[in-house]
Amino acid sequence: MYIIFAILILLFMVLIHELGHYIFGTILGFKINEFAVGFGPAIFKKTRKNGQVISLRVLPLGGFCAFDGEDDNSTDPRAFNNMPAYKRLIVLFGGVFFNFLSAIIFSFILLVSVGYEIPAVKNSDNLSNIPAGSSIRYVAGEKIDFVYDNSYSKLVLDAIKNNNFEEVIIDGTNYAKISIEYKESGKLKDGFILYSEEVRINSISDYYAKLTNLRQNNIILSVNNQEITFENNFNKILTDYIENNEFTSEEIENMQSNVQITYLDNAGNEKTGVLPLLYDKNSEKFYLADKISVGVYYETDCSIDAYRFGFFEGLAESVPFTLRWAQKILIVFGGLFTGDVPLSSLGGTVTTITTIADYSSQDLTFILVLLPMIAINLAVFNILPIPALDGARMVFVLIEMIRRKPINKNVEGTIHAVGLILLFGFVIVIDILHFTIWT
């Protein structure tokens, strides 16, 4: 069912694109032979009174709006190649324009219904005293921006990692006080959030659990009488101890040593114990026993949720939001040539359909994120100067306008035909790699 749903979404997106060509072509007086969604044999056909054929075809790999004389010669003055160059340019841009316009509409729906990118304070009962509903825009001077992967959680952890905070103690609890800027009633204001840190035992083998009395979820408070803080964190204390401590010959011979700790058991009682260290002959260093996993957990005094824009605010934000999506796509596309982005991050039609189906089966609200993303992907992809795509066709028209003479139609037609074959081949190969090697 979700696969069918995904195919319908993709067909809908293609329909929007081809509708752009169709509507601009109709307004500007072009002769249109067929408007089709999909390729291959026709499932449905209807001929209108003006001779136009409307069809639905079996393969949801795209679609087309077949203008008379687009790839061949025609004596009809309304044929594509007989119309003025500026009109052809408008018609070619029509599909991209409609995709971009639909992306703005889908972005608006996403921003006002579930929100995206921008976090908001869910409740006001916190030490930071930020009013509920305020949207957080900057963390430690860095703007929250998904284009550069600057999410709220990443910026918070970066601030802690880079010591870009003030360390405070409130009611015996150690906090990192991180500066933020938030919007309230449309105004940007200075504030802060408080983050506390817990070092927990993620997992421990039965052998070491019996040896040390430690259990999963026990919280480590100090190591060798040094209290764990943000500045003096668990890894730093442990590393400094291993690097600077003079271990005895007996410890090295037995290949084991212990680090003294204080910790809270699962009932909240403070206890003392040890963490076992093992000796590695190759590096000639001790390390934390690999059957004990220790993790760092951060908790904030603010309850954070996605910020839902108001109607007019969402209307104003939908255009720059869509432009940022386009920017991110171009960055990813450029990364394919520089090697920063792996080829496995690409996907063909089948991969797109299965991705939509997978996200839909988890939570239908994911569709609200996918719709603007797919729409702007189609807009950006189609405007690229790749043979057979609108971008390349627009380049040929622009060359014609500059040199005041069209390029040989047989040459242009051959370039687009070869480009289409290569494009289909690339899409099919990418899909095969996705389902055989990359997964």
Side-chain angles (χ1 to χ4, degrees), residues 194-270:
L194 296 174
Y195 258 68
S196 61
E197 178 182 277
E198 284 185 348
V199 180
R200 296 184 204 159
I201 303 295
N202 279 343
S203 61
I204 185 169
S205 68
D206 291 339
Y207 172 77
Y208 287 115
K210 291 176 182 177
L211 182 69
T212 64
N213 290 324
L214 287 172
R215 298 291 182 271
Q216 187 176 347
N217 292 324
N218 286 176
I219 299 171
I220 301 175
L221 302 175
S222 68
V223 179
N224 283 343
N225 295 320
Q226 294 187 58
E227 184 183 0
I228 294 172
T229 65
F230 287 100
E231 296 275 7
N232 202 29
N233 59 55
F234 172 78
N235 288 328
K236 182 178 182 298
I237 297 172
L238 193 62
T239 301
D240 286 348
Y241 175 76
I242 291 171
E243 293 289 341
N244 302 319
N245 183 59
E246 292 186 8
F247 293 95
T248 65
S249 56
E250 184 180 356
E251 286 175 318
I252 294 174
E253 187 178 341
N254 293 331
M255 300 179 64
Q256 185 168 331
S257 180
N258 291 322
V259 177
Q260 302 297 318
I261 63 168
T262 60
Y263 66 94
L264 294 178
D265 65 14
N266 292 337
N269 301 312
E270 186 172 318

Coordinates of all heavy atoms in Angstrom, one line a residue, residues 194-270:
L194 N 20.6 25.9 30.2 CA 21.4 25.2 31.1 C 21.4 23.7 30.7 O 20.4 23.2 30.5 CB 21.0 25.4 32.5 CG 21.0 26.8 33.1 CD1 20.4 26.8 34.5 CD2 22.5 27.3 33.2
Y195 N 22.6 23.2 30.6 CA 22.7 21.7 30.3 C 23.5 21.0 31.4 O 24.6 21.5 31.8 CB 23.5 21.5 29.0 CG 22.6 21.2 27.8 CD1 21.7 22.2 27.4 CD2 22.5 20.0 27.2 CE1 20.8 21.9 26.3 CE2 21.7 19.7 26.2 CZ 20.8 20.7 25.7 OH 20.0 20.4 24.7
S196 N 23.0 19.9 31.9 CA 23.7 19.1 32.9 C 24.2 17.9 32.2 O 23.7 17.5 31.1 CB 22.8 18.7 34.0 OG 21.7 18.0 33.6
E197 N 25.2 17.3 32.8 CA 25.9 16.1 32.1 C 25.9 14.9 33.1 O 26.1 15.1 34.3 CB 27.3 16.5 31.8 CG 28.1 15.3 31.2 CD 29.5 15.8 30.9 OE1 29.7 16.4 29.8 OE2 30.4 15.5 31.7
E198 N 25.6 13.7 32.6 CA 25.6 12.5 33.3 C 26.5 11.5 32.6 O 26.4 11.3 31.4 CB 24.3 11.9 33.5 CG 23.4 12.6 34.6 CD 22.1 11.8 34.8 OE1 21.8 10.9 34.0 OE2 21.4 12.2 35.8
V199 N 27.4 10.9 33.4 CA 28.3 9.8 32.8 C 27.8 8.5 33.3 O 27.8 8.2 34.5 CB 29.8 10.0 33.2 CG1 30.6 8.9 32.6 CG2 30.3 11.4 32.8
R200 N 27.2 7.7 32.5 CA 26.5 6.5 32.9 C 27.3 5.3 32.3 O 27.9 5.3 31.3 CB 25.1 6.4 32.4 CG 24.2 7.5 32.9 CD 22.8 7.3 32.4 NE 22.0 8.5 32.4 CZ 20.9 8.7 31.7 NH1 20.5 7.7 30.9 NH2 20.2 9.8 31.8
I201 N 27.1 4.2 33.0 CA 27.5 2.9 32.5 C 26.5 2.4 31.5 O 25.3 2.1 31.9 CB 27.6 1.8 33.7 CG1 28.6 2.3 34.8 CG2 28.1 0.5 33.1 CD1 30.0 2.5 34.3
N202 N 26.9 2.4 30.2 CA 25.9 1.9 29.2 C 25.7 0.4 29.3 O 24.6 -0.1 29.2 CB 26.5 2.3 27.8 CG 26.2 3.7 27.4 OD1 25.4 4.3 28.0 ND2 27.0 4.2 26.5
S203 N 26.8 -0.3 29.4 CA 26.8 -1.8 29.5 C 28.0 -2.3 30.2 O 29.0 -1.6 30.2 CB 26.6 -2.4 28.1 OG 27.8 -2.1 27.3
I204 N 27.9 -3.5 30.8 CA 29.0 -4.1 31.5 C 28.8 -5.6 31.5 O 27.7 -6.1 31.6 CB 29.1 -3.5 32.9 CG1 30.3 -4.0 33.6 CG2 27.8 -3.8 33.7 CD1 30.6 -3.3 35.0
S205 N 29.9 -6.3 31.3 CA 29.8 -7.8 31.2 C 29.6 -8.3 32.6 O 29.8 -7.7 33.6 CB 31.1 -8.4 30.7 OG 32.2 -8.2 31.6
D206 N 29.0 -9.5 32.7 CA 28.7 -10.2 34.0 C 30.0 -10.3 34.8 O 29.9 -10.1 36.1 CB 28.1 -11.5 33.8 CG 26.7 -11.4 33.2 OD1 26.1 -10.4 33.3 OD2 26.3 -12.4 32.6
Y207 N 31.1 -10.6 34.2 CA 32.4 -10.8 34.9 C 32.8 -9.5 35.6 O 33.1 -9.5 36.8 CB 33.5 -11.2 33.9 CG 34.9 -11.2 34.6 CD1 35.2 -12.3 35.4 CD2 35.8 -10.2 34.3 CE1 36.5 -12.3 36.0 CE2 37.0 -10.2 34.9 CZ 37.4 -11.3 35.7 OH 38.6 -11.3 36.3
Y208 N 32.8 -8.4 34.9 CA 33.2 -7.1 35.6 C 32.1 -6.6 36.5 O 32.4 -5.8 37.4 CB 33.5 -6.1 34.5 CG 34.9 -6.4 33.8 CD1 34.9 -6.7 32.5 CD2 36.0 -6.4 34.5 CE1 36.1 -7.0 31.8 CE2 37.3 -6.7 33.9 CZ 37.3 -7.0 32.6 OH 38.5 -7.3 32.0
A209 N 30.9 -6.9 36.2 CA 29.8 -6.5 37.2 C 30.0 -7.1 38.5 O 29.8 -6.5 39.6 CB 28.4 -6.9 36.6
K210 N 30.4 -8.4 38.5 CA 30.6 -9.1 39.8 C 31.9 -8.5 40.5 O 32.0 -8.4 41.7 CB 30.8 -10.6 39.6 CG 29.5 -11.2 39.2 CD 29.7 -12.7 38.9 CE 28.4 -13.4 38.5 NZ 28.6 -14.8 38.1
L211 N 32.9 -8.2 39.6 CA 34.2 -7.7 40.1 C 34.1 -6.3 40.7 O 34.7 -6.0 41.8 CB 35.2 -7.7 39.0 CG 36.6 -7.3 39.3 CD1 37.3 -8.3 40.2 CD2 37.5 -7.1 38.1
T212 N 33.3 -5.4 40.1 CA 33.2 -4.0 40.5 C 31.9 -3.6 41.2 O 31.8 -2.5 41.8 CB 33.4 -3.1 39.3 OG1 32.3 -3.3 38.4 CG2 34.7 -3.4 38.6
N213 N 30.9 -4.5 41.1 CA 29.6 -4.2 41.7 C 28.9 -3.1 40.9 O 27.8 -2.6 41.3 CB 29.6 -3.8 43.1 CG 30.0 -4.9 44.0 OD1 29.5 -6.1 43.8 ND2 30.7 -4.7 45.1
L214 N 29.4 -2.7 39.7 CA 28.8 -1.7 38.9 C 27.7 -2.3 38.1 O 27.7 -3.5 37.7 CB 29.8 -1.1 37.9 CG 30.8 -0.1 38.5 CD1 31.8 0.3 37.5 CD2 30.1 1.2 39.0
R215 N 26.6 -1.6 37.7 CA 25.5 -2.1 36.9 C 25.2 -1.1 35.8 O 25.6 0.1 35.9 CB 24.3 -2.3 37.8 CG 24.4 -3.3 38.9 CD 24.6 -4.7 38.3 NE 24.7 -5.7 39.4 CZ 25.8 -6.1 40.0 NH1 27.0 -5.6 39.6 NH2 25.8 -7.1 40.9
Q216 N 24.5 -1.5 34.9 CA 24.1 -0.6 33.8 C 23.2 0.5 34.4 O 22.4 0.3 35.3 CB 23.2 -1.4 32.8 CG 22.9 -0.6 31.5 CD 22.1 -1.4 30.5 OE1 22.1 -2.6 30.6 NE2 21.6 -0.8 29.5
N217 N 23.5 1.8 33.8 CA 22.8 3.0 34.2 C 23.3 3.6 35.5 O 22.8 4.6 36.0 CB 21.3 2.8 34.3 CG 20.7 2.6 32.9 OD1 21.1 3.2 31.9 ND2 19.7 1.8 32.8
N218 N 24.3 3.0 36.2 CA 24.9 3.6 37.3 C 25.6 4.9 36.8 O 26.1 5.0 35.7 CB 26.0 2.7 37.9 CG 25.4 1.6 38.8 OD1 26.2 0.7 39.3 ND2 24.1 1.5 38.9
I219 N 25.6 6.0 37.7 CA 26.1 7.3 37.3 C 27.4 7.5 38.0 O 27.5 7.5 39.2 CB 25.1 8.4 37.6 CG1 23.8 8.2 36.8 CG2 25.7 9.8 37.2 CD1 22.7 9.1 37.3
I220 N 28.5 7.8 37.2 CA 29.8 8.0 37.8 C 29.9 9.5 38.1 O 29.7 10.4 37.3 CB 30.9 7.6 36.8 CG1 30.8 6.1 36.4 CG2 32.3 7.9 37.3 CD1 31.8 5.7 35.3
L221 N 30.3 9.7 39.4 CA 30.4 11.1 39.9 C 31.8 11.7 39.9 O 32.0 12.8 39.6 CB 29.8 11.2 41.3 CG 28.4 10.7 41.5 CD1 28.0 10.7 43.0 CD2 27.4 11.6 40.7
S222 N 32.8 10.8 40.2 CA 34.2 11.3 40.2 C 35.1 10.1 39.9 O 34.8 8.9 40.0 CB 34.5 11.8 41.6 OG 34.5 10.8 42.6
V223 N 36.3 10.5 39.5 CA 37.4 9.5 39.2 C 38.6 9.9 39.9 O 39.1 11.1 39.8 CB 37.6 9.5 37.6 CG1 38.8 8.5 37.3 CG2 36.4 9.1 36.9
N224 N 39.1 9.0 40.7 CA 40.3 9.3 41.5 C 40.2 10.6 42.3 O 41.0 11.5 42.3 CB 41.6 9.4 40.7 CG 42.1 8.0 40.3 OD1 41.7 7.0 40.9 ND2 42.9 8.0 39.2
N225 N 39.0 10.7 43.0 CA 38.6 11.9 43.8 C 38.5 13.2 43.0 O 38.5 14.3 43.6 CB 39.6 12.1 44.9 CG 39.6 10.9 45.9 OD1 38.5 10.4 46.2 ND2 40.7 10.4 46.4
Q226 N 38.5 13.1 41.7 CA 38.3 14.3 40.9 C 36.9 14.3 40.4 O 36.5 13.4 39.7 CB 39.3 14.4 39.7 CG 40.7 14.5 40.1 CD 41.6 14.7 38.8 OE1 41.4 15.6 38.0 NE2 42.6 13.8 38.6
E227 N 36.1 15.4 40.8 CA 34.7 15.5 40.4 C 34.6 15.7 38.9 O 35.4 16.5 38.3 CB 34.0 16.6 41.1 CG 32.6 16.7 40.8 CD 31.9 17.9 41.5 OE1 32.6 18.6 42.2 OE2 30.7 18.1 41.3
I228 N 33.7 15.0 38.3 CA 33.5 15.1 36.8 C 32.7 16.4 36.6 O 31.6 16.6 37.1 CB 32.7 13.9 36.3 CG1 33.6 12.6 36.4 CG2 32.3 14.1 34.8 CD1 32.8 11.3 36.0
T229 N 33.2 17.3 35.8 CA 32.6 18.5 35.4 C 32.7 18.6 33.8 O 33.3 17.8 33.2 CB 33.2 19.7 36.0 OG1 34.5 19.9 35.5 CG2 33.2 19.6 37.5
F230 N 32.1 19.7 33.3 CA 32.2 19.9 31.8 C 33.7 20.2 31.5 O 34.2 19.7 30.5 CB 31.4 21.1 31.4 CG 29.9 20.7 31.4 CD1 29.1 21.1 32.4 CD2 29.4 20.0 30.3 CE1 27.7 20.8 32.4 CE2 28.0 19.7 30.3 CZ 27.2 20.1 31.3
E231 N 34.3 21.0 32.3 CA 35.7 21.4 32.1 C 36.6 20.1 32.3 O 37.5 19.9 31.5 CB 36.2 22.5 33.0 CG 35.4 23.8 32.8 CD 36.0 24.6 31.7 OE1 37.0 24.1 31.0 OE2 35.6 25.8 31.5
N232 N 36.4 19.4 33.4 CA 37.2 18.3 33.7 C 36.4 17.0 33.5 O 35.9 16.4 34.5 CB 37.7 18.4 35.2 CG 38.9 17.6 35.5 OD1 39.7 17.3 34.6 ND2 39.0 17.2 36.7
N233 N 36.1 16.7 32.3 CA 35.2 15.6 32.0 C 35.8 14.2 32.2 O 37.0 14.1 32.4 CB 34.6 15.7 30.6 CG 35.7 15.7 29.5 OD1 36.5 14.7 29.4 ND2 35.7 16.7 28.6
F234 N 35.0 13.2 32.1 CA 35.4 11.8 32.4 C 36.6 11.4 31.5 O 37.5 10.9 32.1 CB 34.2 10.9 32.2 CG 34.5 9.4 32.2 CD1 34.6 8.8 33.5 CD2 34.7 8.7 31.1 CE1 35.0 7.5 33.5 CE2 35.0 7.3 31.2 CZ 35.1 6.7 32.4
N235 N 36.5 11.6 30.2 CA 37.5 11.2 29.3 C 38.9 11.9 29.6 O 39.9 11.3 29.6 CB 37.1 11.4 27.9 CG 36.1 10.4 27.4 OD1 36.0 9.3 27.9 ND2 35.2 10.9 26.5
K236 N 38.8 13.2 30.0 CA 40.0 13.9 30.3 C 40.7 13.4 31.5 O 41.9 13.2 31.6 CB 39.7 15.4 30.4 CG 40.9 16.3 30.7 CD 40.5 17.8 30.8 CE 41.7 18.7 31.0 NZ 42.4 18.4 32.3
I237 N 39.9 13.2 32.6 CA 40.4 12.7 33.8 C 41.1 11.3 33.6 O 42.2 11.0 34.1 CB 39.3 12.5 34.9 CG1 38.8 13.9 35.3 CG2 39.9 11.9 36.2 CD1 37.6 13.9 36.2
L238 N 40.4 10.4 32.9 CA 40.9 9.1 32.7 C 42.1 9.1 31.8 O 43.1 8.4 32.1 CB 39.8 8.2 32.0 CG 40.0 6.7 32.0 CD1 40.1 6.1 33.4 CD2 38.9 6.0 31.2
T239 N 42.1 9.9 30.8 CA 43.3 10.0 29.9 C 44.5 10.5 30.6 O 45.6 10.0 30.4 CB 42.9 10.8 28.6 OG1 41.8 10.3 27.9 CG2 44.1 10.9 27.7
D240 N 44.3 11.6 31.4 CA 45.4 12.2 32.1 C 46.0 11.2 33.1 O 47.2 11.1 33.3 CB 44.9 13.4 32.9 CG 44.7 14.6 32.0 OD1 45.1 14.5 30.8 OD2 44.0 15.6 32.4
Y241 N 45.1 10.4 33.7 CA 45.6 9.4 34.7 C 46.4 8.3 34.0 O 47.5 8.0 34.5 CB 44.4 8.7 35.4 CG 44.8 7.6 36.3 CD1 45.3 7.9 37.6 CD2 44.6 6.3 36.0 CE1 45.7 6.8 38.4 CE2 44.9 5.2 36.8 CZ 45.5 5.5 38.0 OH 45.9 4.5 38.9
I242 N 45.9 7.8 32.9 CA 46.7 6.8 32.1 C 48.0 7.3 31.6 O 49.0 6.6 31.6 CB 45.8 6.2 31.0 CG1 44.6 5.4 31.6 CG2 46.6 5.4 30.0 CD1 43.6 5.0 30.5
E243 N 48.0 8.6 31.1 CA 49.2 9.1 30.5 C 50.2 9.5 31.6 O 51.4 9.3 31.4 CB 48.8 10.4 29.7 CG 48.0 10.2 28.5 CD 48.8 9.5 27.4 OE1 50.0 9.5 27.4 OE2 48.1 8.9 26.5
N244 N 49.8 10.0 32.8 CA 50.7 10.5 33.8 C 51.0 9.6 35.0 O 52.0 9.9 35.7 CB 50.2 11.9 34.2 CG 50.0 12.9 33.1 OD1 50.9 12.9 32.2 ND2 49.0 13.6 33.1
N245 N 50.2 8.6 35.2 CA 50.4 7.8 36.4 C 51.6 6.8 36.1 O 51.7 6.3 35.1 CB 49.1 7.0 36.7 CG 49.2 6.2 37.9 OD1 49.5 6.7 39.0 ND2 49.1 4.9 37.8
E246 N 52.3 6.6 37.2 CA 53.4 5.6 37.1 C 52.9 4.3 37.7 O 52.8 4.1 38.9 CB 54.6 6.1 38.0 CG 55.3 7.3 37.4 CD 56.6 7.6 38.2 OE1 57.0 6.8 39.1 OE2 57.2 8.7 37.9
F247 N 52.5 3.4 36.8 CA 52.0 2.1 37.2 C 53.1 1.2 37.7 O 54.2 1.3 37.2 CB 51.3 1.4 36.0 CG 50.0 2.1 35.5 CD1 50.1 3.1 34.5 CD2 48.8 1.9 36.1 CE1 48.9 3.7 34.1 CE2 47.7 2.5 35.7 CZ 47.7 3.5 34.7
T248 N 52.8 0.4 38.6 CA 53.8 -0.5 39.2 C 54.1 -1.6 38.3 O 53.3 -2.0 37.4 CB 53.3 -1.1 40.6 OG1 52.2 -2.0 40.3 CG2 52.9 0.0 41.5
S249 N 55.3 -2.3 38.4 CA 55.7 -3.4 37.6 C 54.7 -4.6 37.8 O 54.5 -5.3 36.9 CB 57.1 -3.8 38.0 OG 57.2 -4.1 39.4
E250 N 54.2 -4.7 39.0 CA 53.2 -5.7 39.3 C 51.9 -5.5 38.5 O 51.4 -6.5 37.9 CB 52.9 -5.8 40.8 CG 52.0 -6.9 41.2 CD 51.6 -6.9 42.7 OE1 52.2 -6.1 43.4 OE2 50.8 -7.8 43.1
E251 N 51.5 -4.3 38.4 CA 50.2 -4.0 37.6 C 50.5 -4.3 36.1 O 49.6 -4.9 35.5 CB 49.9 -2.5 37.8 CG 49.2 -2.2 39.1 CD 49.0 -0.7 39.3 OE1 49.8 0.1 38.9 OE2 47.9 -0.4 39.8
I252 N 51.7 -3.9 35.7 CA 52.0 -4.2 34.2 C 52.1 -5.7 34.0 O 51.7 -6.2 33.0 CB 53.3 -3.5 33.9 CG1 53.1 -2.0 33.9 CG2 53.8 -3.9 32.5 CD1 54.3 -1.1 33.7
E253 N 52.7 -6.4 34.9 CA 52.9 -7.9 34.8 C 51.6 -8.6 34.8 O 51.3 -9.5 34.0 CB 53.8 -8.4 35.9 CG 54.2 -9.9 35.8 CD 55.1 -10.3 36.9 OE1 55.7 -9.5 37.5 OE2 55.2 -11.6 37.1
N254 N 50.7 -8.1 35.7 CA 49.3 -8.7 35.8 C 48.4 -8.2 34.7 O 47.3 -8.7 34.5 CB 48.7 -8.5 37.1 CG 49.4 -9.2 38.3 OD1 50.0 -10.3 38.0 ND2 49.4 -8.6 39.5
M255 N 48.9 -7.1 34.0 CA 48.1 -6.5 32.9 C 46.8 -6.0 33.3 O 45.8 -6.0 32.6 CB 48.0 -7.5 31.7 CG 49.3 -8.0 31.1 SD 49.1 -9.2 29.8 CE 48.3 -8.2 28.6
Q256 N 46.7 -5.5 34.6 CA 45.5 -4.9 35.1 C 45.8 -3.9 36.2 O 46.7 -4.1 37.0 CB 44.5 -6.0 35.6 CG 43.2 -5.5 36.0 CD 42.2 -6.6 36.3 OE1 42.2 -7.7 35.7 NE2 41.2 -6.3 37.2
S257 N 44.9 -2.9 36.2 CA 45.0 -1.9 37.3 C 43.6 -1.4 37.5 O 42.6 -1.7 36.7 CB 45.9 -0.7 36.9 OG 46.0 0.2 37.9
N258 N 43.4 -0.6 38.6 CA 42.0 -0.1 38.9 C 42.1 1.4 39.1 O 43.0 1.9 39.6 CB 41.5 -0.8 40.2 CG 41.2 -2.3 40.0 OD1 40.7 -2.7 38.9 ND2 41.5 -3.1 41.0
V259 N 41.0 2.0 38.7 CA 40.8 3.5 38.9 C 39.7 3.6 40.0 O 38.6 3.0 39.8 CB 40.4 4.2 37.6 CG1 40.1 5.7 37.9 CG2 41.5 4.0 36.6
Q260 N 39.9 4.4 41.0 CA 38.9 4.6 42.0 C 37.8 5.6 41.6 O 38.1 6.6 41.0 CB 39.6 5.2 43.3 CG 40.7 4.3 43.9 CD 40.2 2.9 44.3 OE1 39.1 2.8 45.0 NE2 40.9 1.9 44.0
I261 N 36.6 5.2 41.8 CA 35.5 6.1 41.4 C 34.4 6.2 42.5 O 34.4 5.3 43.4 CB 34.8 5.6 40.1 CG1 34.1 4.2 40.4 CG2 35.7 5.5 38.9 CD1 33.2 3.7 39.3
T262 N 33.6 7.2 42.5 CA 32.4 7.3 43.3 C 31.3 7.3 42.3 O 31.4 7.9 41.2 CB 32.3 8.5 44.1 OG1 32.4 9.7 43.3 CG2 33.4 8.5 45.2
Y263 N 30.2 6.7 42.6 CA 29.1 6.5 41.7 C 27.7 6.4 42.4 O 27.7 6.2 43.6 CB 29.3 5.3 40.7 CG 29.2 4.0 41.4 CD1 28.0 3.3 41.5 CD2 30.3 3.4 42.1 CE1 27.9 2.0 42.1 CE2 30.3 2.2 42.7 CZ 29.1 1.5 42.7 OH 29.0 0.3 43.4
L264 N 26.7 6.7 41.7 CA 25.3 6.5 42.2 C 24.8 5.2 41.6 O 24.8 5.0 40.4 CB 24.4 7.6 41.8 CG 24.7 9.0 42.3 CD1 23.7 10.0 41.7 CD2 24.6 9.0 43.8
D265 N 24.3 4.3 42.5 CA 23.7 3.1 42.0 C 22.3 3.4 41.5 O 21.8 4.5 41.6 CB 23.7 2.0 43.1 CG 22.9 2.3 44.3 OD1 22.0 3.3 44.3 OD2 23.0 1.6 45.4
N266 N 21.6 2.4 41.1 CA 20.3 2.6 40.5 C 19.2 3.0 41.5 O 18.1 3.4 41.1 CB 19.8 1.3 39.7 CG 20.7 1.1 38.5 OD1 21.4 2.0 38.0 ND2 20.8 -0.1 38.0
A267 N 19.5 2.9 42.8 CA 18.6 3.3 43.8 C 18.9 4.8 44.2 O 18.2 5.3 45.1 CB 18.6 2.4 45.0
G268 N 20.0 5.4 43.6 CA 20.4 6.7 44.0 C 21.3 6.8 45.2 O 21.6 7.9 45.6
N269 N 21.9 5.7 45.6 CA 22.8 5.7 46.7 C 24.2 6.0 46.2 O 24.7 5.4 45.2 CB 22.8 4.4 47.5 CG 21.4 4.1 48.0 OD1 20.8 5.0 48.6 ND2 20.9 2.9 47.8
E270 N 25.0 6.9 46.9 CA 26.3 7.1 46.5 C 27.3 6.1 47.1 O 27.2 5.8 48.3 CB 26.8 8.5 47.0 CG 28.2 8.9 46.5 CD 28.5 10.4 46.9 OE1 27.6 11.2 46.7 OE2 29.7 10.6 47.3

